[in-house]
Amino acid sequence: MAIGIRRLGVVLEDRYLVWRLKQGSRDALCRIYGKYRDDLLRLAVSLSNETTLAEDVVQDVFVAFIGDAPQFRLTGSLKSYLATCVANRVRNANRDRRRREQVGLDEIQSVASESVRPDQWAICSEELERAARAMALLSYEQREVIALRLQGALKFRQIAELQGVPIKTVLSRYRCGLGKLRSLLNGEVIRCDRSEISRSL
Amino acid sequence: MRSEQDIERSFKQANLQVTIGAERDGRILDELVEVQCKSASPHPALRPASRSWALSLAAVVAVVIVIALLVSRNGPPEPEPAPSRPQIVSRIELATAISLEKAFRQGGIEAVEKQYKETFGAFRADAKTPSVDELLTHLENEITDLKR
């Protein structure tokens, strides 16, 4: 009950902030930015395993959101909306990166290998770096499901719509990915093969 | 050993801290404010349309004012005067009729005679001297007209 009321309060606050933002309120802009900046950076780091890319993605998402604010219409949770934008942009960035990798244009740096830059926006804690490294070992679909569910607070139904798959597939990706993460973080690596997926269903 | 519930809990952000670099954070916020200002300003394509609309409105107002001034200077078309009933044309006749009627009421035919003499003595304009009967007939006609 208390969680429901808190959630309702968040939704109402978001609607109010979006309404103020559409009227050009700078306070609303700062409030939304401060409210969701950390969550989106965390999500982007978990999805991309690369701090620089995560920073760029979150910055782009905010710029696009603020730029389109006069036409924006909030239908659900603002956090879910922004998290979906981050996931889409990370997916596009990964696709571009794979293309560049094929032609050998750049080297990929992981979160662990990055040194702190002078203009760094997000400095990840050790826990976050470990989690991102473990997530990087999952398939991208599993990573996306876990990150969007646990960090983006999306419902499985919304993730299924985003990925364009049935909800059962999303659930199996979630369970399988979570099991793999547990094994990785406990120091054991197991394979999540087809038989495991069918068992989890 | 971590259970899956522990993994879920730890991924729900509690332990996954991210520290924000203040310098770049400030720059990004400034950029966002700039983007907000740009998106809030009216679309450039609309400006010429609104300007032309304002010009055409001003032209219409000017034309209306000019027309109003022209109309007010010339004045509105005056209505045709209504045909009035025939009035007594000369002052002599008017004076004679009124004074004779008054004299008749006050002193009868003698007073009319007296008034007749005074009137024509005062104006001396008419060479022709009408008789008392003519005057009475004229007086009756005048009274009838006045009553009508």
Side-chain angles (χ1 to χ4, degrees):
Chain A
M1 184 72 176
I3 293 171
I5 290 172
R6 204 183 313 149
R7 209 168 177 175
L8 182 66
V10 170
V11 169
L12 288 177
E13 188 195 12
D14 283 350
R15 285 187 177 264
Y16 173 69
L17 288 174
V18 168
W19 178 71
R20 293 282 315 278
L21 182 74
K22 290 172 86 162
Q23 292 184 329
S25 162
R26 192 173 292 185
D27 290 341
L29 163 66
C30 294
R31 179 83 184 100
I32 291 173
Y33 176 73
K35 192 177 178 185
Y36 292 119
R37 175 195 56 200
D38 293 7
D39 289 349
L40 296 181
L41 279 170
R42 214 175 278 133
L43 174 68
V45 167
S46 298
L47 283 172
S48 66
N49 189 32
E50 198 183 333
T51 315
T52 316
L53 176 64
E55 288 172 350
D56 292 345
V57 162
V58 174
Q59 185 176 350
D60 289 350
V61 164
F62 270 121
V63 168
F65 171 65
I66 300 300
D68 295 339
Q71 292 85 37
F72 179 72
R73 196 158 166 253
L74 182 64
T75 51
S77 153
L78 181 59
K79 185 180 179 181
S80 301
Y81 170 78
L82 293 172
T84 307
C85 293
V86 167
N88 285 331
R89 282 182 185 262
V90 170
R91 197 186 299 167
N92 292 340
N94 281 337
R95 198 181 300 139
D96 295 345
R97 191 170 61 177
R98 275 199 299 274
R99 275 190 211 131
R100 286 202 301 270
E101 273 178 349
Q102 283 171 1
V103 292
L105 286 179
D106 59 2
E107 290 178 13
I108 306 305
Q109 286 187 321
S110 71
V111 136
S113 66
E114 277 187 274
S115 56
V116 176
R117 290 164 281 119
D119 67 331
Q120 194 160 345
W121 187 21
I123 301 150
C124 304
S125 67
E126 204 176 314
E127 276 287 323
L128 179 56
E129 285 185 1
R130 269 190 71 205
R133 274 199 301 270
M135 290 274 273
L137 294 173
L138 305 180
S139 73
Y140 185 75
E141 288 76 18
Q142 288 174 351
R143 203 190 315 168
E144 198 174 64
V145 171
I146 290 172
L148 287 175
R149 175 67 186 162
L150 297 180
Q151 296 178 331
L154 262 74
K155 294 173 181 165
F156 285 118
R157 180 181 47 80
Q158 293 172 310
I159 301 171
E161 282 172 15
L162 178 71
Q163 292 191 334
V165 292
I167 196 165
K168 280 189 173 183
T169 309
V170 170
L171 285 169
S172 84
R173 282 174 181 170
Y174 181 72
R175 284 179 197 146
C176 184
L178 216 56
K180 207 169 172 181
L181 272 180
R182 184 175 65 87
S183 305
L184 286 165
L185 293 172
N186 287 333
E188 49 174 313
V189 179
I190 58 164
R191 286 185 67 81
C192 183
D193 54 15
R194 283 189 172 279
S195 62
E196 198 174 346
I197 293 172
S198 60
R199 226 181 308 139
S200 68
L201 283 171
Chain B
M1 289 286 279
R2 287 184 176 189
S3 67
E4 287 188 4
Q5 283 78 20
D6 289 339
I7 304 280
E8 279 183 326
R9 214 173 300 129
S10 66
F11 267 77
K12 278 185 178 171
Q13 302 159 4
N15 298 318
L16 305 179
Q17 296 288 336
V18 62
T19 313
I20 301 300
E23 191 187 334
R24 188 168 171 189
D25 195 50
R27 266 193 283 126
I28 289 172
L29 199 52
D30 288 345
E31 187 190 348
L32 292 178
V33 168
E34 200 177 315
V35 169
Q36 186 186 30
C37 290
K38 276 182 191 166
S39 65
S41 62
H43 199 275
L46 294 177
R47 279 182 185 166
S50 62
R51 197 179 297 151
S52 66
W53 184 83
L55 281 173
S56 58
L57 181 69
V60 169
V61 169
V63 167
V64 168
I65 289 172
V66 167
I67 290 172
L69 282 174
L70 286 174
V71 167
S72 66
R73 184 184 288 178
N74 294 337
E78 288 180 3
E80 291 280 323
S84 56
R85 64 190 180 90
Q87 291 175 341
I88 298 167
V89 179
S90 78
R91 288 184 180 182
I92 296 171
E93 283 184 354
L94 176 65
T96 305
I98 292 171
S99 60
L100 288 180
E101 184 190 13
K102 196 177 172 183
F104 184 74
R105 282 182 186 167
Q106 285 173 353
I109 193 70
E110 290 84 11
V112 171
E113 276 280 0
K114 190 182 170 188
Q115 183 64 33
Y116 160 73
K117 283 175 184 170
E118 280 178 6
T119 302
F120 279 92
F123 290 104
R124 291 177 192 171
D126 213 342
K128 185 190 168 188
T129 53
S131 66
V132 174
D133 290 335
E134 283 173 353
L135 279 174
L136 285 176
T137 311
H138 185 73
L139 182 63
E140 277 176 7
N141 290 336
E142 288 300 318
I143 289 168
T144 312
D145 283 340
L146 285 172
K147 281 180 183 171
R148 219 185 292 156

